[in-house]
């Protein structure tokens, strides 16, 4: 059978099995388009059904999370852990607590994570988990009781050599602390099963900053590849969470003009740019994203625009750092016509398929999250190594390691994605990760 027909049949099979999971289908289709050539060049991939194998998670665990609210009422949520692939090491990937969490979202995130983790060159498999619970609508005691109830089930499925969860949307140091405390009590072991822990009990320097900083280190390499520099570039950032703020602060510190931050309620536009100090002033602030952004405006001036994304603002570079599918086709057209020439994803799959097509049509350099936001998981692995050896590394050594990892990931994208003058970062990332995963699958024997 020809490769085209094989891929078509494969996609039909994936669609049939995951009919009501649009995010998962989107993630699989995006990768398959890039690796068709690999399948063509390696007849054993078809023989061993590599694509089919990689498109089915190792397991997806669903569980009830029941907990007591402050009024003594029993509340019930749903929790999940999707362990997508253990081919390259212990499962690794974040936990997301948000009302939009469902199996489709977690399957797409776990699938992306598998490819991202392969790209880091480190020994980690891919997973993702979470619950349809929003800690922002709960008191701190309720968040603690929820995390404990969540861990009462999750602990059976994780461990330092089995599965090592971390944070993601709405799961920061506080939540990881509560989850870790309950895990430690249940298994009577202090080990590196969760990453993103506070520094006082097993956390690592640079972990909190790593995704945002890593994104900007990657961006600097993308610019360097065409002889450019970040200095003076107008950078539009979306989001006001962990990834967005650290990316914005690092970009500002390197001389970029950060012209926006945003949240689910709107966008703060500052055409003259925000200072690093102003951005850092809200990093540890527990209030809502909008309240914090309005505080920045008091320092920097600028305009608050309700119910609006940053993608219509003039900029040279866009860093989507909020959530999946936050940047659509029309947004991409607006970016192109307003001067944007480069997009690097801080969030996971923030650009829709239509947006990606638009970037390709206009030769906009576009780095997928699996490459440009891999700094977070990479430093998580450094946290695991520190926990296993009972030795803490210094901030500057870890920052140097992060820089080296982002450089390596960038180089892989260039090596596998170079198309004449242009680098197709998405294609490069997908091919590099797929090669590692397919070799591991075949090398470990079918089973
Ligand atoms: P946070 O919870 O810290 O922040 C999320 C931010 O995005 C908030 O400001 C939130 O605003 C905003 N946001 C969420 N949903 C929307 C929406 N629909 N429209 C507009 N804004 C929205 O999350 P993180 O910064 O940790 O994660 C952001 C992204 O980065 C996610 O895609 C995540 O998977 C990815 N990522 C995170 C890593 C990490 O280390 N934390 C690692 C790699 C990827 P509001 O508060 O108003 O909802």
């Amino acid at each position: 059978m020809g490769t085209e027909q094989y891929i078509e049949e494969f996609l039909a099979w994936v669609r049939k099995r995951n009919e009501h999971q649009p995010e998962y289908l989107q993630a699989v289709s995006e990768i398959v388009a890039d690796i068709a050539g690999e399948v063509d060049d390696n007849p054993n991939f078809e023989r061993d059904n590599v694509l089919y194998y990689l498109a089915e998670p190792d397991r997806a665990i669903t569980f009830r999370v029941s907990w007591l609210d402050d009024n003594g009422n029993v509340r019930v949520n749903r929790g999940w852990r999707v362990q997508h692939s253990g081919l390259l090491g212990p499962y690794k990937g974040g936990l997301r607590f948000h009302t939009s969490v469902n199996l489709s979202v977690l399957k797409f995130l776990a699938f992306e994570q598998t490819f991202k983790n392969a790209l880091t060159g480190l020994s980690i498999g891919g997973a993702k988990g979470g619950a349809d619970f929003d800690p922002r609508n709960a008191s701190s005691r309720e968040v603690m009781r929820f995390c404990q109830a969540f861990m009462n089930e999750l602990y059976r499925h994780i461990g330092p050599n089995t599965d090592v969860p971390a944070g993601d949307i709405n799961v920061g140091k506080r939540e990881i602390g509560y989850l870790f405390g309950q895990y430690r009590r249940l298994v009577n072991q202090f080990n590196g099963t969760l990453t993103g822990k506070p520094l006082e009990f097993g956390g690592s320097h640079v972990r909190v900053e790593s995704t945002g900083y890593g994104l900007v280190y990657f961006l600097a390499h993308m610019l360097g590849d065409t002889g450019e520099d970040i200095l003076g570039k107008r950078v539009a950032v979306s989001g006001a969470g962990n990834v967005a703020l650290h990316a914005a602060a690092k970009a500002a510190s390197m001389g970029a003009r950060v012209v926006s931050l945003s949240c689910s309620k709107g966008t703060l536009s500052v055409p003259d740019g925000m200072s690093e100090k102003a951005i850092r002033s809200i990093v540890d602030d527990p209030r809502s994203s909008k309240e914090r952004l309005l505080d920045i405006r008091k320092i920097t001036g600028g305009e608050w625009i309700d119910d609006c994304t940053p993608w219509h603002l003039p900029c040279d570079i866009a860093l989507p750092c909020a959530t999946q599918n936050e940047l659509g086709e029309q947004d991409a057209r607006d970016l192109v016509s307003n001067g944007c020439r480069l997009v690097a994803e801080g969030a996971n799959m923030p650009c829709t398929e239509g947006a990606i097509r638009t970037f390709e049509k206009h030769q906009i350099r576009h780095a997928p999250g699996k490459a440009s936001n891999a700094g977070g998981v990479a430093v998580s692995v450094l946290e695991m190594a520190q926990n296993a050896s009972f030795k803490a590394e210094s901030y500057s050594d870890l920052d140097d390691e992060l820089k080296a990892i982002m450089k390596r990931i960038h180089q892989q994208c260039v090596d596998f994605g170079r198309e004449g003058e242009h680098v197709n970062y998405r294609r490069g990332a997908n091919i590099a990760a797929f090669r590692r995963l397919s070799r591991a699958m075949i090398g470990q024997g079918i089973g």
Side-chain angles (χ1 to χ4, degrees):
M1 173 188 329
T3 305
E4 217 170 291
Q5 192 191 344
Y6 177 74
I7 299 278
E8 257 174 44
E9 282 185 11
F10 163 71
L11 283 173
W13 179 81
V14 176
R15 272 195 293 273
K16 196 162 168 226
R17 296 167 74 77
N18 303 280
E19 227 176 344
H20 303 296
Q21 301 183 344
E23 292 86 0
Y24 186 61
L25 291 173
Q26 183 182 341
V28 175
S29 321
E30 188 218 283
I31 284 178
V32 166
D34 289 328
I35 56 179
E38 295 293 300
V39 177
D40 209 19
D41 292 346
N42 296 279
N44 55 339
F45 287 179
E46 202 172 315
R47 184 199 64 205
D48 291 342
N49 269 347
V50 174
L51 292 187
Y52 288 76
Y53 181 99
L54 290 176
E56 187 68 14
D58 288 357
R59 65 190 67 79
I61 301 145
T62 306
F63 51 97
R64 184 191 64 235
V65 186
S66 55
W67 54 284
L68 283 183
D69 69 17
D70 285 344
N71 298 319
N73 300 314
V74 176
R75 304 277 287 271
V76 178
N77 287 90
R78 189 172 285 172
W80 291 268
R81 185 71 177 164
V82 179
Q83 296 174 332
H84 186 87
S85 170
L87 280 170
L88 301 180
Y91 300 106
K92 180 99 199 79
L95 297 171
R96 177 178 291 190
F97 290 167
H98 197 274
T99 46
S100 64
V101 166
N102 58 42
L103 188 58
S104 170
V105 168
L106 293 177
K107 275 175 68 180
F108 117 65
L109 287 165
F111 181 77
E112 286 281 303
Q113 192 80 44
T114 296
F115 278 71
K116 179 190 310 192
N117 293 0
L119 205 50
T120 64
L122 302 167
S123 296
I124 34 173
K128 204 80 185 189
D132 56 353
F133 164 79
D134 192 337
R136 293 169 306 174
N137 299 326
S139 72
S140 191
R141 290 288 172 175
E142 288 176 329
V143 172
M144 182 182 77
R145 287 194 293 272
F146 177 84
C147 290
Q148 291 171 344
F150 186 84
M151 189 50 80
N152 283 345
E153 173 60 31
L154 186 69
Y155 86 96
R156 304 166 210 284
H157 310 290
I158 61 177
N161 297 315
T162 309
D163 183 352
V164 182
D168 191 72
I169 291 183
N170 292 332
V171 178
K173 269 190 288 193
R174 177 184 63 167
E175 289 75 18
I176 292 289
Y178 293 149
L179 290 162
F180 178 74
Q182 187 69 352
Y183 174 79
R184 186 184 60 73
R185 284 186 282 270
L186 287 166
V187 302
N188 195 25
Q189 280 183 34
F190 193 113
N191 60 35
T193 294
L194 285 130
T195 58
K197 298 181 289 297
L199 275 178
E200 296 76 26
F201 48 92
S204 171
H205 287 299
V206 194
R207 174 60 191 91
V208 176
E209 303 90 332
S210 54
T211 308
Y213 283 15
L215 171 65
V216 176
Y217 297 151
F218 191 95
L219 166 65
H221 286 297
M222 289 176 82
L223 290 165
D225 193 58
T226 48
E228 294 169 277
D229 194 85
I230 195 169
L231 201 66
K233 293 276 187 312
R234 295 164 304 167
V235 180
V237 181
S238 68
N242 178 284
V243 179
L245 293 179
H246 288 106
K250 179 55 79 178
S253 79
M254 291 166 72
R257 201 155 28 114
V258 177
V259 297
S260 73
L261 286 166
S262 73
C263 71
S264 52
K265 305 279 187 288
T267 289
L268 175 65
S269 156
V270 183
D272 291 337
M274 306 174 204
S275 67
E276 180 189 354
K277 196 169 164 205
I279 298 163
R280 288 197 190 281
S281 71
I282 62 161
V283 164
D284 287 322
D285 188 331
R287 289 173 305 153
S288 75
S289 296
K290 181 175 175 183
E291 285 170 307
R292 292 183 285 127
L293 290 177
L294 290 177
D295 258 18
I296 292 198
R297 191 177 61 158
K298 287 184 198 150
I299 308 172
T300 59
E303 186 190 358
W304 172 260
I305 314 163
D306 269 326
D307 299 322
C308 181
T309 64
W311 312 132
H312 67 288
L313 301 172
C315 65
D316 304 300
I317 294 166
L319 303 180
C321 296
T323 193
Q324 66 268 10
N325 290 329
E326 57 165 306
L327 198 163
E329 191 167 347
Q330 185 54 48
D331 299 319
R333 284 199 209 110
D334 290 348
L335 280 169
V336 173
S337 52
N338 281 325
C340 180
R341 289 289 164 267
L342 193 156
V343 180
E345 298 181 350
N348 287 309
M349 207 169 76
C351 301
T352 64
E353 289 167 297
I356 294 172
R357 273 197 306 275
T358 306
F359 295 144
E360 278 178 356
K361 185 171 154 202
H362 294 276
Q363 295 239 316
I364 303 299
R365 276 168 291 164
H366 165 234
K370 65 175 74 74
S372 48
N373 75 24
V377 73
V379 174
S380 275
V381 177
L382 304 180
E383 182 175 333
M384 287 161 70
Q386 292 172 85
N387 292 161
S389 64
F390 292 92
K391 269 195 211 146
E393 287 190 61
S394 72
Y395 192 101
S396 64
D397 283 353
L398 288 159
D399 196 28
D400 286 346
E401 286 185 63
L402 172 63
K403 284 179 186 156
I405 290 169
M406 297 317 293
K407 184 176 178 188
R408 241 181 12 236
I409 296 174
H410 178 267
Q411 193 54 49
Q412 288 190 76
C413 293
V414 173
D415 290 346
F416 293 101
R418 174 80 64 201
E419 293 170 355
E421 297 275 285
H422 187 70
V423 176
N424 185 333
Y425 282 87
R426 195 203 61 231
R427 191 155 180 274
N430 285 337
I431 291 178
F434 178 70
R435 284 201 179 174
R436 195 170 168 218
L437 285 162
S438 52
R439 282 189 194 138
M441 183 209 143
I442 293 169
Q444 288 177 31
I446 315 299

